[in-house]
Amino acid sequence: MNDDTVKGEGKSERLHMFISPAEIAAVEDWRFKNRVQSKSEAVRRLCQIGLSYERNGKVLLKRTERAVKATILVLEKIGKADFEKLPKGIRGGLAVAIEEQFAAHKAVLSTLIAAGIYADGSDHSSFEDLIERAQEYVETLANWEPKK
Protein backbone atom coordinates (compact mmCIF):
# COMPACT_ATOMS: atom_id res chain seq x y z
CA MET A 1 0.00 0.00 0.00
CA ASN A 2 1.44 3.41 -0.93
CA ASP A 3 0.86 6.83 0.66
CA ASP A 4 -2.05 7.56 -1.71
CA THR A 5 -4.30 4.78 -0.46
CA VAL A 6 -6.12 4.12 2.77
CA LYS A 7 -6.79 0.48 3.58
CA GLY A 8 -10.08 -0.58 2.01
CA GLU A 9 -10.83 2.76 0.33
CA GLY A 10 -8.92 2.59 -2.94
CA LYS A 11 -6.88 5.43 -4.38
CA SER A 12 -7.02 8.75 -2.55
CA GLU A 13 -8.07 11.89 -4.43
CA ARG A 14 -6.30 15.21 -4.52
CA LEU A 15 -8.31 18.09 -3.06
CA HIS A 16 -7.55 21.69 -3.97
CA MET A 17 -8.97 24.28 -1.64
CA PHE A 18 -8.71 27.90 -0.66
CA ILE A 19 -8.57 28.84 3.01
CA SER A 20 -7.77 32.07 4.80
CA PRO A 21 -4.37 32.86 6.33
CA ALA A 22 -5.96 32.62 9.79
CA GLU A 23 -7.25 29.12 8.98
CA ILE A 24 -3.83 28.08 7.67
CA ALA A 25 -2.25 29.38 10.88
CA ALA A 26 -4.78 27.45 12.98
CA VAL A 27 -4.09 24.25 11.02
CA GLU A 28 -0.33 24.76 11.41
CA ASP A 29 -0.70 25.42 15.15
CA TRP A 30 -2.81 22.28 15.54
CA ARG A 31 -0.33 20.32 13.41
CA PHE A 32 2.59 21.43 15.59
CA LYS A 33 0.80 20.73 18.90
CA ASN A 34 -0.20 17.26 17.71
CA ARG A 35 3.12 16.43 16.02
CA VAL A 36 1.55 15.73 12.67
CA GLN A 37 4.11 15.33 9.86
CA SER A 38 2.39 17.19 7.04
CA LYS A 39 -0.21 19.89 6.48
CA SER A 40 -2.19 17.43 4.34
CA GLU A 41 -2.30 14.89 7.16
CA ALA A 42 -3.34 17.62 9.61
CA VAL A 43 -6.22 18.70 7.37
CA ARG A 44 -7.25 15.06 6.88
CA ARG A 45 -7.29 14.44 10.64
CA LEU A 46 -9.15 17.67 11.36
CA CYS A 47 -11.78 16.63 8.80
CA GLN A 48 -12.13 13.28 10.57
CA ILE A 49 -12.51 15.06 13.92
CA GLY A 50 -15.13 17.40 12.47
CA LEU A 51 -17.11 14.56 10.91
CA SER A 52 -16.99 12.60 14.14
CA TYR A 53 -18.13 15.61 16.12
CA GLU A 54 -20.99 16.19 13.71
CA ARG A 55 -22.16 12.62 14.34
CA ASN A 56 -21.78 12.84 18.12
CA GLY A 57 -22.10 16.50 19.07
CA LYS A 58 -25.85 16.63 19.57
CA VAL A 59 -25.65 13.53 21.75
CA LEU A 60 -22.97 15.25 23.85
CA LEU A 61 -25.20 18.31 24.14
CA LYS A 62 -28.15 16.23 25.38
CA ARG A 63 -25.96 14.27 27.81
CA THR A 64 -24.47 17.40 29.37
CA GLU A 65 -27.93 18.93 29.76
CA ARG A 66 -29.21 15.72 31.36
CA ALA A 67 -26.26 15.71 33.77
CA VAL A 68 -27.12 19.25 34.89
CA LYS A 69 -30.80 18.34 35.30
CA ALA A 70 -29.91 15.24 37.33
CA THR A 71 -27.69 17.25 39.67
CA ILE A 72 -30.41 19.84 40.19
CA LEU A 73 -32.93 17.08 40.85
CA VAL A 74 -30.67 15.69 43.59
CA LEU A 75 -30.27 19.16 45.09
CA GLU A 76 -34.02 19.71 45.02
CA LYS A 77 -34.56 16.36 46.78
CA ILE A 78 -32.08 17.38 49.48
CA GLY A 79 -33.68 20.80 49.82
CA LYS A 80 -31.95 24.03 50.76
CA ALA A 81 -33.03 23.66 54.38
CA ASP A 82 -31.01 20.43 54.69
CA PHE A 83 -27.80 21.79 53.15
CA GLU A 84 -26.44 22.57 56.60
CA LYS A 85 -26.46 18.84 57.30
CA LEU A 86 -23.99 18.28 54.47
CA PRO A 87 -20.28 18.62 55.23
CA LYS A 88 -18.75 21.80 53.81
CA GLY A 89 -16.56 19.80 51.40
CA ILE A 90 -19.60 18.11 49.87
CA ARG A 91 -21.43 21.43 49.49
CA GLY A 92 -18.39 22.93 47.76
CA GLY A 93 -17.99 19.84 45.60
CA LEU A 94 -21.61 20.00 44.46
CA ALA A 95 -21.21 23.69 43.59
CA VAL A 96 -18.10 22.93 41.53
CA ALA A 97 -19.82 19.96 39.84
CA ILE A 98 -22.70 22.15 38.70
CA GLU A 99 -20.37 24.85 37.41
CA GLU A 100 -18.27 22.29 35.53
CA GLN A 101 -21.37 20.73 33.98
CA PHE A 102 -22.48 24.17 32.76
CA ALA A 103 -19.03 24.87 31.36
CA ALA A 104 -19.05 21.54 29.50
CA HIS A 105 -22.55 22.17 28.16
CA LYS A 106 -21.65 25.68 26.99
CA ALA A 107 -18.46 24.41 25.32
CA VAL A 108 -20.34 21.70 23.43
CA LEU A 109 -23.09 24.14 22.43
CA SER A 110 -20.68 26.82 21.23
CA THR A 111 -18.69 24.26 19.23
CA LEU A 112 -21.85 22.96 17.57
CA ILE A 113 -22.92 26.52 16.73
CA ALA A 114 -19.46 27.43 15.38
CA ALA A 115 -19.49 24.32 13.20
CA GLY A 116 -22.94 25.19 11.87
CA ILE A 117 -24.36 21.94 13.23
CA TYR A 118 -26.68 23.67 15.70
CA ALA A 119 -28.46 26.90 14.84
CA ASP A 120 -27.44 29.91 16.93
CA GLY A 121 -31.03 31.19 16.83
CA SER A 122 -32.38 27.99 18.38
CA ASP A 123 -34.52 28.28 21.48
CA HIS A 124 -32.34 27.69 24.52
CA SER A 125 -34.84 29.14 27.00
CA SER A 126 -35.46 25.88 28.84
CA PHE A 127 -31.74 25.47 29.48
CA GLU A 128 -31.40 29.14 30.42
CA ASP A 129 -34.16 28.62 33.02
CA LEU A 130 -32.26 25.58 34.25
CA ILE A 131 -29.09 27.67 34.54
CA GLU A 132 -30.91 30.26 36.66
CA ARG A 133 -32.27 27.57 39.00
CA ALA A 134 -28.90 25.91 39.31
CA GLN A 135 -27.09 29.20 39.89
CA GLU A 136 -29.22 29.70 43.00
CA TYR A 137 -28.00 26.33 44.28
CA VAL A 138 -24.39 27.11 43.42
CA GLU A 139 -24.55 30.36 45.37
CA THR A 140 -26.33 28.71 48.30
CA LEU A 141 -23.88 25.79 48.39
CA ALA A 142 -20.78 27.91 47.98
CA ASN A 143 -21.77 30.53 50.56
CA TRP A 144 -23.54 28.37 53.11
CA GLU A 145 -22.67 29.19 56.67
CA PRO A 146 -24.17 26.81 59.22
CA LYS A 147 -26.26 28.33 61.99
CA LYS A 148 -24.38 28.75 65.24
Side-chain angles (χ1 to χ4, degrees):
M1 179 165 77
N2 64 31
D3 291 341
D4 291 336
T5 61
V6 176
K7 188 175 182 179
E9 292 190 11
K11 187 166 176 25
S12 296
E13 292 185 35
R14 184 175 302 272
L15 173 67
H16 298 277
M17 58 189 289
F18 291 99
I19 62 175
S20 72
E23 291 168 326
I24 288 282
V27 169
E28 286 293 343
D29 288 346
W30 186 89
R31 175 184 164 206
F32 178 76
K33 287 177 188 172
N34 291 278
R35 298 179 180 216
V36 176
Q37 291 184 0
S38 70
K39 196 180 301 182
S40 294
E41 181 62 19
V43 170
R44 194 171 14 262
R45 287 188 190 180
L46 288 166
C47 286
Q48 291 167 349
I49 291 167
L51 292 168
S52 175
Y53 199 85
E54 183 177 23
R55 287 188 299 271
N56 299 307
K58 288 184 179 180
V59 171
L60 288 170
L61 188 66
K62 284 183 182 184
R63 306 270 301 181
T64 57
E65 187 171 346
R66 285 172 40 195
V68 171
K69 286 179 179 178
T71 303
I72 290 173
L73 181 64
V74 167
L75 293 172
E76 287 173 346
K77 293 277 186 196
I78 294 171
K80 289 183 183 180
D82 290 331
F83 285 164
E84 70 179 19
K85 296 176 185 173
L86 297 173
K88 189 174 183 177
I90 291 176
R91 291 192 306 267
L94 285 169
V96 170
I98 292 170
E99 289 173 338
E100 289 298 318
Q101 288 171 348
F102 282 143
H105 184 78
K106 288 177 183 178
V108 171
L109 182 61
S110 64
T111 303
L112 288 170
I113 289 170
I117 297 169
Y118 199 80
D120 192 16
S122 298
D123 182 18
H124 305 290
S125 59
S126 65
F127 193 72
E128 289 168 7
D129 293 341
L130 191 62
I131 289 173
E132 285 180 31
R133 277 181 34 216
Q135 195 57 43
E136 291 176 27
Y137 283 106
V138 169
E139 289 170 12
T140 302
L141 287 165
N143 300 317
W144 188 270
E145 292 295 327
K147 297 176 187 172
K148 294 182 181 185

